[in-house]
Structure formats: structure tokens, C-alpha cells
Amino acid sequence: MPAPVITVDGPSGAGKGTISHMLSEHLAWRFLDSGALYRVTGQACLLEGVALADSAAVTQVARHLDVDFKADPQGEILVFYKGQDVSRAIRSEEGGRAASKVAAIASVREALLQRQRDFRQLPGLVADGRDMGTVVFPDATLKFFLTASAAERAERRYRQLLAKGENVSLPRLLEDIKERDARDSSRSVAPLLPAEDAIVIDSTATPIAAVFEQVMKEVTAKGLK
Ligand SMILES: Nc1ncnc2c1ncn2[C@@H]1O[C@H](COP(=O)(O)OP(=O)(O)OP(=O)(O)O)[C@@H](O)[C@H]1O
Ligand SMILES: Nc1ccn([C@@H]2O[C@H](COP(=O)(O)O)[C@@H](O)[C@H]2O)c(=O)n1
């Protein structure tokens, strides 16, 4: 019997990472941040001087990706590429753009598929991404698709980056989010869309605690808690 999986998909800034992290802590299950794998692939290309448009070379980078995840003492997950902490670099808007470009290459997705599936271990896995419920774990026990308006997601990202002391422009963030939504949704391979059996939650006007409560109701109803 394979380990149970809860998938949390949706567009950028919908709250997937926040809810998935809360859920994995609450259940004491493993956590897969699949976006980080695409972000590290993009960052590795920038570091190794590989052009993002060179699909064959980007695929080689993805196949041999030397990536590691480690929690710091505060429980924050740090991401390492070839032993170097790239957590901050991959979280930039540029990192998100590069990730979304490499993620549109079918052979890159293929190269990262088994690595993602390897996270499925007992007692269970919470998997955060775009195609967790549709492609990577189609047999997941429970599937969520979180969404919110682009304006609300840009506002959230704006507040998040301001709190980190970064100099950001809200109109630019909104443009970036719309551009990334369009690329992620229109690509021919594993486009961003809810699985047929996903529970869709629109959090545009719903605080995090209330979203988590809704998610936990479904988890309990499935007998996972
Ligand atoms: N329901 C909500 N209401 C208000 N703020 C929220 C809500 N959900 C998440 N946030 C905040 O929005 C920001 C982005 O959330 P988060 O990183 O979880 O999104 P994400 O979907 O994982 O985005 P990405 O795919 O780009 O990593 C965080 O600062 C988070 O605290
Ligand atoms: N399963 C996934 C996860 C992510 N992507 C792509 O990576 C970009 C960054 O993801 P974040 O969740 O860290 O924001 C995202 O825009 C997608 O293009 C993906 O394709 N599949």
C-alpha cells in the first residue's frame, strides 16, 4: 500500500506553500515543494551559463541536479545547489520567471518526475505545485486546488517582499503574476489546472486560518487525521 498523498496545486501566491507547510507540520508528514525543483533548475542554468532557451542543455541540468533540502533551527526549509545555499536567490521574481520557463520544457518535467515521486514515503506526503494532482500523484488520497484573484495574489507577494525589506513595485508584481499564470496555464505539457477530483478553494477574501480550517475538515472527513 503506497503512502497517502495530499496534493495542493494552484497559481503563484494562492497560499499553497503556506497551507501545505501547515498541513505537513500538523500531520507530521513529509513536504514536497516541487516549485523549488524548477526554481533550482532555473538558478543552476543561470549559474552554469546555460541559456534557458536551450532545451537540451536545460534538460541535462535537470537530470543531474545536485539539490538538497534542509530545515534550519526555525523550521524554515533551506534549499542548496551543489552545497551552496540558494534559498534566497531562487525565491526572487527573476527566479520565478526562470522556473516557469524551464518548467514549460517537457523533457525537464520528465527529468524531475521520479525525483518528486521519491518523496512519497510513510507516514504520508503533502505535495505543493502545479501538476501534483494531475500528473505526479494522480492517485492522491485528497487533492486541493487553491486560487485567488491575480490582484489579491500580487498584493500578498508585495506585502511578503516588503516585509523582507525588498524594494518592489506592485504593478510590476501584478504583471509578473499574470505573465506567469499565462505561461503556466497555456503550456502544452502539464498545464496549470485543477484535477477533476480536486476540491477548489478560492481564498481571495478568506484569511489563512479559515482556509486551513476548510482543508482540515476535508482531511478529517477522509479519516487522515
Ligand atoms: N488566504 C490568505 N490570505 C492572506 N494572505 C495569504 C493567504 N494565503 C497566503 N497568504 C500570504 O501570501 C503570500 C504567498 O503565499 P504562499 O507563498 O503560500 O503562496 P504560493 O501559492 O505557495 O506561491 P508560489 O507558488 O509563488 O510559491 C505569503 O506571504 C502568505 O502568508
Ligand atoms: N509542480 C510544479 C511546480 C512549479 N512549476 C513551475 O515553477 C514555477 C515556480 O513555482 P513556485 O510554486 O515556486 O512559485 C511556477 O511558476 C511553475 O512554472 C511547475 O511547472 N510545476
Side-chain angles (χ1 to χ4, degrees), residues 53 88 119 142 207:
R88 199 178 168 91
F119 276 77
L142 193 51

Side-chain angles (χ1 to χ4, degrees), residues 50-109:
V50 169
L52 300 182
D54 184 344
S55 302
V58 177
T59 303
Q60 283 308 315
V61 170
R63 274 198 192 122
H64 304 288
L65 201 64
D66 178 357
V67 62
D68 206 5
F69 298 92
K70 284 182 200 152
D72 74 5
Q74 284 75 43
E76 178 132 349
I77 294 166
L78 301 178
V79 185
F80 295 82
Y81 170 65
K82 286 187 174 172
Q84 185 189 333
D85 185 351
V86 292
S87 318
R88 199 178 168 91
I90 64 166
R91 296 283 159 223
S92 65
E93 289 308 297
E94 192 198 359
R97 263 196 303 279
S100 138
K101 285 183 185 163
V102 302
I105 304 170
S107 47
V108 167
R109 303 197 74 84

Side-chain angles (χ1 to χ4, degrees), residues 151-197:
E152 168 64 16
R153 290 184 283 122
E155 282 275 356
R156 288 176 188 174
R157 187 66 77 215
Y158 181 68
R159 290 195 296 268
Q160 189 180 31
L161 293 172
L162 274 190
K164 283 189 194 164
E166 290 185 27
N167 189 12
V168 278
S169 139
L170 181 57
R172 179 77 206 276
L173 282 176
L174 180 57
E175 220 175 278
D176 266 5
I177 281 209
K178 286 184 175 169
E179 191 192 308
R180 197 131 67 90
D181 281 358
R183 198 182 299 117
D184 290 351
S185 306
S186 65
R187 67 183 177 218
S188 56
V189 53
L192 166 67
L193 89 183
E196 272 179 16
D197 48 349

Side-chain angles (χ1 to χ4, degrees), residues 11-18 39 128 130 152 156-157 159-160 180 203 206-208 211:
S12 178
K16 305 178 301 293
T18 307
R39 285 175 183 265
D128 156 3
R130 302 290 186 291
E152 168 64 16
R156 288 176 188 174
R157 187 66 77 215
R159 290 195 296 268
Q160 189 180 31
R180 197 131 67 90
S203 73
T206 314
I208 296 172
V211 176

